[in-house]
């Protein structure tokens, strides 16, 4: 057996020493690999290179620190990296595929069924941003379920299923009804603007609220929970609800759905009217006169929801 020696990677300096750290904190640009045996050893092909991690730990302790065991990151955990990766991939793939298909069907074909992939493109972007904004600005509460893909309730899934069915039915069986009150490109542009305004409002509200935002209304005040009244919250008392309300209606204007536009408006108004009343009783318990004054000063911006 050949005598063991320490071989350096191509990142080593001319005098054979390891490169110095790349910044003032001592963090190297890259961690050099340090084989514990010569590349001329006869058993290289059988076992592959081995590395002296003890040397790396001493020289670069911050870069090879052990990762604590967290069961929530496992496949069945609430923060399952497997689930997060699959959902993120699914949202991204669906968004890209639907955008390309929408352009093909609307411009190259053309065929009014472009409305179906356009609707799913809006959905995929919305669900991805629900997770991304939560992970970016409210890390303690982020979960695999933060995508809201499978835990938004039966009514939510039924509403989007009905919207997709109306697109298909009016395209192939009721084309005359589909054309009623649809004035391309103006109605399409109006739908896109409403969707964009709703999405920006909701994402901005989640970002500015930070750790004070939760997808599920809380019943007990947690440590550090603050009343947010700045930014978009100085314009709307519940900007995340405002955003979703108009985002959902905008999708139906975009795709030319009449039945679902009316149904969405009625169902969402009823939902948010009840939700706001219940949630504000809790907020008054949390913040008292501060919230009462804020409620008098700022409206919800949702029609007929005071």
């Amino acid at each position: 057996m050949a005598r063991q020696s320490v071989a350096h990677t191509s990142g080593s300096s001319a005098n054979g020493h390891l490169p110095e750290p790349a910044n003032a904190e001592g963090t190297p640009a890259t961690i050099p690999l340090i084989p514990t045996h010569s590349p001329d050893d006869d058993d290289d092909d059988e076992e592959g290179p081995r590395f002296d991690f003890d040397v790396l730990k001493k020289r670069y302790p911050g870069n090879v620190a052990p990762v604590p065991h967290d069961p929530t990151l496992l496949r069945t955990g609430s923060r399952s990296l497997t689930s997060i990766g699959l959902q993120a991939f699914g949202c991204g793939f669906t968004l890209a595929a639907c955008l390309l298909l929408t352009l093909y069907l609307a411009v190259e074909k053309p065929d009014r069924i472009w409305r179906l992939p356009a609707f799913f493109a809006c959905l995929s972007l919305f669900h991805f941003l629900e997770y991304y904004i939560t992970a970016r600005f409210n890390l303690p509460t982020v979960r695999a379920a933060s995508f809201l893909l499978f835990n938004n309730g039966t009514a939510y899934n039924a509403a989007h299923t009905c919207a997709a069915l109306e697109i298909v039915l009016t395209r192939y069986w009721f084309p005359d009804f589909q054309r009623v009150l649809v004035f391309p490109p103006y109605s399409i542009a109006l739908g896109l603007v409403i969707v964009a305004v709703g999405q920006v409002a909701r994402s901005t509200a989640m970002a500015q609220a930070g750790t004070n935002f939760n997808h599920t209304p809380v019943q007990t005040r947690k440590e550090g929970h603050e009343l947010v009244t700045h930014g978009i919250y100085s314009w709307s008392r519940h900007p995340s609800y405002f955003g979703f309300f108009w985002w959902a209606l905008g999708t139906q204007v975009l795709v030319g759905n009449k039945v679902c536009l009316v149904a969405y408006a009625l169902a969402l108004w009823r939902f948010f009217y009840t939700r706001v009343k219940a949630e504000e009783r809790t907020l008054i318990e949390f913040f008292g006169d501060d919230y009462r004054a804020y409620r008098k000063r700022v409206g919800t911006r949702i029609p007929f929801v005071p």
Side-chain angles (χ1 to χ4, degrees), residues 6-261:
V6 177
H8 300 287
T9 62
S10 58
S12 60
S13 60
N15 60 10
H17 292 89
L18 289 173
E20 294 299 321
N23 56 40
E25 287 78 11
T27 302
T30 59
I31 298 178
L33 301 178
I34 307 178
T36 59
H37 67 299
S38 170
D40 296 330
D41 286 351
D42 296 335
D43 58 351
D44 278 357
D45 294 336
E46 297 179 3
E47 297 182 7
R50 296 186 300 274
F51 303 100
D52 191 343
F53 286 103
D54 290 335
V55 174
L56 293 179
K57 289 179 181 179
K58 292 178 181 179
R59 188 177 293 273
Y60 308 113
N63 293 80
V64 289
V67 178
H69 177 65
D70 185 353
T72 65
L73 301 179
L74 300 179
R75 184 176 58 85
T76 57
S78 62
R79 299 187 180 199
S80 168
L81 296 180
T82 301
S83 178
I84 290 171
L86 288 174
Q87 290 183 80
F89 173 80
C91 288
F93 180 84
T94 301
L95 176 61
C98 287
L99 286 177
L100 291 174
L101 187 57
T102 298
L103 290 174
Y104 172 74
L105 292 173
V107 179
E108 295 294 332
K109 188 78 173 162
D111 191 320
R112 285 197 301 274
I113 199 62
W114 66 263
R115 299 176 299 140
L116 187 62
F119 178 57
F120 282 111
C122 293
L123 284 174
S124 59
L125 179 60
F126 170 80
H127 284 285
F128 172 76
L129 288 175
E130 288 296 292
Y131 176 84
Y132 175 77
I133 299 298
T134 303
R136 175 67 177 82
F137 297 98
N138 193 7
L139 187 59
T141 66
V142 73
R143 301 288 186 273
S146 297
F147 284 96
L148 301 184
L149 281 171
F150 308 110
N151 56 321
N152 241 355
T154 303
Y156 178 86
N157 296 328
H160 293 327
T161 300
C162 289
L165 285 174
E166 182 175 349
I167 292 172
V168 174
L169 290 174
T170 56
R171 162 60 182 87
Y172 293 107
W173 286 279
F174 305 100
D176 292 335
F177 178 74
Q178 193 281 321
R179 284 190 287 265
V180 174
L181 300 178
V182 174
F183 308 101
Y186 305 107
S187 56
I188 296 172
L190 176 62
L192 284 172
V193 169
I194 298 174
V195 167
V197 168
Q199 184 65 73
V200 169
R202 181 169 175 86
S203 296
T204 301
M206 293 172 62
Q208 291 184 349
T211 57
N212 298 290
F213 181 88
N214 200 307
H215 280 124
T216 304
V218 296
Q219 300 302 316
T220 57
R221 185 176 180 180
K222 299 180 180 179
E223 184 179 355
H225 190 180
E226 299 177 353
L227 176 61
V228 181
T229 60
H230 65 276
I232 195 171
Y233 286 86
S234 65
W235 177 80
S236 172
R237 208 163 65 242
H238 296 278
S240 65
Y241 294 164
F242 165 87
F244 183 82
F245 180 85
W246 289 108
W247 172 88
L249 295 188
T251 62
Q252 301 311 292
V253 174
L254 171 65
V255 302
N257 282 352
K258 269 74 69 176
V259 174
C260 282
L261 175 62

